[in-house]
Amino acid sequence: MAELIGVNEVVSIVGTGPDAAYKIIRDLNAELKEQGFLTVRGRISESYLRERLRLSGVRECQTES
């Protein structure tokens, strides 16, 4: 099951600031919506983010629960 991550995790994975991370989330959610998927504002599937940024082989983000 795909884990939805927020802006802080995107910042840590991509290495950008929060503004750029929010734009990445918005753009990827727009792609998913066009494909007929439901999206959650401000969250993105970590696996989809890594796939689109071609980071599939890179260590996954470890979030604290």
Side-chain angles (χ1 to χ4, degrees):
M1 182 162 110
E3 180 181 348
L4 295 179
I5 59 173
V7 70
N8 292 330
E9 293 87 1
V10 174
V11 165
S12 125
I13 292 169
V14 180
T16 64
D19 291 340
Y22 276 118
K23 181 171 180 358
I24 290 168
I25 292 171
R26 277 193 306 271
D27 292 348
L28 294 180
N29 275 338
E31 289 178 9
L32 289 169
K33 200 169 198 173
E34 284 178 11
Q35 296 173 27
F37 291 95
L38 294 175
T39 60
V40 177
R41 190 167 137 191
R43 307 292 252 170
I44 190 69
S45 160
E46 183 177 1
S47 60
Y48 187 69
L49 172 72
R50 290 180 176 283
E51 174 187 321
R52 290 291 287 120
L53 296 177
R54 301 199 185 260
L55 298 173
S56 301
V58 179
R59 182 182 65 84
E60 292 207 6
C61 178
Q62 298 296 318
T63 57
E64 294 181 25
S65 298

